[in-house]
């Protein structure tokens, strides 16, 4: 009998259809449906969309990532009820618009009124602001399936179900979700690195257009941000804003220039802004003109009573004088000049009328200019 060849001996026996091959265990249905991660991590999914462009500045990237992490921590504390009444009022905004109010307060002069091109891209989650107060990983029955669904490239397709929209400040490399705010924190907790979305590029002022100033008003330290030496906004959370702007290239907070309006005047202008506005800012050029006009109004000048808009005559006394005094003069003239009563009466009346007109029209009083009509 011939001996089997080496190749034939190396072929393992084929298992029967009804038995399992030695050393091979097929996963059960329960294991396939299990949402808990296994011992060996699954390979990362492959995405087709390109990443959103962010500035290559490492220092700026670190500052943006730190701000995103701080916002995530704030959301967690808000959800736990530990920050009730402690957040700045301008962060609240309208219901459903809190994230936009946060961006407006923390990133001064960030606006989506001027928009660039909108493209489908993947935004790194470490540079993306979301809103995680409503729900998170623990509120989802099948987190792995939902994470794969929300992170897929299809969420960036125009008109797709559950599509995400992101506003990206290109010069800063900081984005925030316009649609799909709650999924950011969830995907970050699931270990996902990027989010597929319709990304709209937004401009941001250059570093040299911005300036930071630290002032003392009423014993309280404030930090103000000024754009183009004109528009001023008070920072409600300087500890969040200043590190971001200095990493962007803005100079550290400086002393308030002596040539500008006094800080108390700026503070009064901020306090007098229209209530209910999400963003309160002061136009320094207009404030300078207002201060000059106010100072000019404090100067003294000569004027007549008819030029005073705050002067109100005592009409009863005024009319009684015009009637009673001429009658008294007529009686005196009648007694003193019995033969020339008419001439004396006319002289008395004309003299009194002339004196009254002179008192009203002649500039014989001194007042401040701001009281002139």
């Amino acid at each position: 009998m011939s001996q089997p060849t080496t190749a034939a001996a190396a072929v393992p026996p084929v298992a029967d259809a009804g038995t399992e091959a030695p050393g091979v265990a097929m996963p059960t249905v329960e294991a396939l449906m299990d949402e808990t991660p296994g011992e060996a991590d699954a390979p990362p999914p492959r995405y087709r969309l390109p990443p959103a462009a962010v500035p290559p500045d490492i220092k700026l990237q670190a500052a943006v990532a730190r701000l995103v992490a701080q916002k995530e921590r704030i959301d967690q504390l808000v959800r736990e009820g530990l920050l009730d009444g402690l957040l700045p009022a301008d962060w609240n905004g309208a219901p459903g618009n809190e994230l936009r109010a946060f961006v407006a307060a923390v990133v001064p002069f960030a606006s989506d009124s001027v928009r660039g091109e909108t493209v489908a891209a993947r935004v790194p989650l470490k540079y993306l602001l979301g809103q995680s107060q409503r729900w998170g990983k623990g509120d989802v029955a099948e987190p792995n399936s939902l994470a794969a669904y929300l992170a897929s490239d299809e969420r960036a397709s125009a008109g797709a179900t559950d599509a995400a929209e992101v506003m990206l400040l290109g010069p800063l490399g900081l984005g925030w979700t316009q649609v799909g705010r709650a999924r950011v924190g969830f995907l970050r907790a699931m270990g996902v690195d990027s989010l597929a979305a319709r990304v709209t590029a937004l401009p941001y002022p250059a570093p040299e257009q911005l300036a930071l100033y630290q002032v003392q008003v009423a014993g309280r330290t404030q930090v103000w941000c000024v754009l183009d030496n004109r528009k001023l906004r008070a920072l409600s959370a300087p500890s969040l804003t200043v590190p971001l702007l200095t990493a962007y290239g803005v100079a550290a907070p400086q002393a308030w220039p002596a040539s500008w309006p006094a800080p108390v005047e700026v503070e009064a202008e901020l306090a007098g802004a229209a209530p209910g506005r999400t963003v309160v800012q002061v136009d320094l050029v207009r404030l300078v003109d207002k201060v000059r006009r106010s100072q000019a109004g404090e100067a003294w000048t000569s004027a007549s009573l008819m030029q005073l808009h705050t002067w109100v005559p005592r009409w009863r006394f005024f009319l009684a004088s015009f009637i009673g005094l001429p009658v008294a003069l007529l009686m005196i003239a009648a007694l003193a000049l019995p033969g020339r009563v008419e001439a004396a009466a006319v002289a008395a009346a004309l003299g009194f009328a002339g004196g009254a007109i002179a008192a009203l029209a002649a500039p014989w009083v001194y007042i401040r200019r701001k009281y002139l009509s």
Side-chain angles (χ1 to χ4, degrees):
M1 180 179 295
S2 62
Q3 298 293 328
T5 63
T6 305
V11 177
V14 179
D16 296 337
T19 62
E20 294 183 356
V24 178
M26 297 296 293
T28 63
V29 176
E30 290 77 9
L32 290 173
M33 297 297 294
D34 188 10
E35 285 285 341
T36 58
E39 296 181 357
D41 294 335
R46 299 177 63 89
Y47 301 119
R48 303 182 307 275
L49 292 177
V54 296
D57 189 336
I58 301 300
K59 182 179 179 181
L60 180 58
Q61 290 179 0
V64 171
R66 182 174 183 269
L67 175 62
V68 171
Q70 289 173 317
K71 176 62 168 63
E72 184 73 17
R73 182 56 179 157
I74 290 173
D75 289 348
Q76 294 176 3
L77 295 177
V78 169
R79 192 180 184 194
E80 296 169 5
L82 300 178
L83 295 181
D84 293 343
L86 298 179
L87 295 179
D90 53 355
W91 288 16
N92 295 332
N97 200 28
E98 296 86 352
L99 179 57
R100 192 171 182 178
F102 174 85
V103 174
V106 176
V107 190
F109 305 106
S111 174
D112 58 358
S113 59
V114 179
R115 303 186 179 187
E117 184 182 3
T118 299
V119 298
R122 300 198 65 87
V123 184
L125 289 178
K126 61 180 179 179
Y127 305 139
L128 184 61
L129 293 169
Q131 189 174 346
S132 306
Q133 294 100 321
R134 292 184 298 171
W135 61 274
K137 178 181 177 181
D139 303 313
V140 180
E142 299 181 358
N144 287 339
S145 299
L146 182 60
Y149 174 78
L150 294 179
S152 64
D153 287 341
E154 285 70 20
R155 304 287 75 75
S157 301
T161 306
D162 296 321
E165 297 180 10
V166 168
M167 299 295 172
L168 180 64
L169 294 170
L172 286 176
L174 173 67
W176 71 89
T177 44
Q178 191 85 342
V179 177
R181 295 182 293 267
R183 72 184 63 178
V184 176
F186 166 73
L187 292 177
R188 190 179 291 119
M190 294 299 297
V192 180
D193 295 330
S194 61
L195 170 72
R198 305 284 298 173
V199 181
T200 301
L202 302 178
Y204 193 70
E208 55 271 15
Q209 294 181 262
L210 301 172
L212 296 171
Y213 298 97
Q214 182 170 313
V215 296
Q216 288 280 343
V217 181
R220 186 165 54 97
T221 302
Q222 297 188 42
V223 179
W224 295 339
C225 184
V226 178
L227 171 64
D228 293 332
N229 291 329
R230 179 162 186 166
K231 298 179 181 179
L232 179 146
R233 293 188 185 180
L235 301 182
S236 56
S239 59
L240 299 178
T241 305
V242 173
L244 175 67
L245 293 185
T246 52
Y248 180 50
V250 181
Q254 309 170 25
W256 186 250
S259 59
W260 286 4
V264 291
E265 295 172 340
V266 178
E267 176 66 15
E269 195 73 9
L270 287 170
R277 292 174 55 185
T278 304
V279 177
V280 178
Q281 70 180 24
V282 172
D283 191 321
L284 293 176
V285 175
R286 293 184 179 179
L287 180 58
V288 168
D289 181 65
K290 180 180 178 180
V291 171
R292 288 176 178 173
R293 286 188 282 107
S294 176
Q295 292 175 347
E298 295 294 330
W300 290 91
T301 184
S302 60
S304 66
L305 294 178
M306 297 181 67
Q307 291 179 279
L308 304 182
H309 67 78
T310 58
W311 177 73
V312 178
R314 296 169 58 190
W315 289 109
R316 292 184 179 179
F317 175 80
F318 190 73
L319 294 176
S321 299
F322 262 89
I323 296 175
L325 190 57
V327 170
L329 291 175
L330 284 174
M331 292 178 64
I332 295 174
L335 295 175
L337 303 171
R340 303 176 61 184
V341 176
E342 293 182 359
V346 171
L350 290 176
F352 183 78
I357 293 173
L360 290 174
W364 61 278
V365 296
Y366 287 95
I367 64 165
R368 298 187 187 275
R369 289 184 179 273
K370 63 182 179 181
Y371 297 126
L372 290 177
S373 58

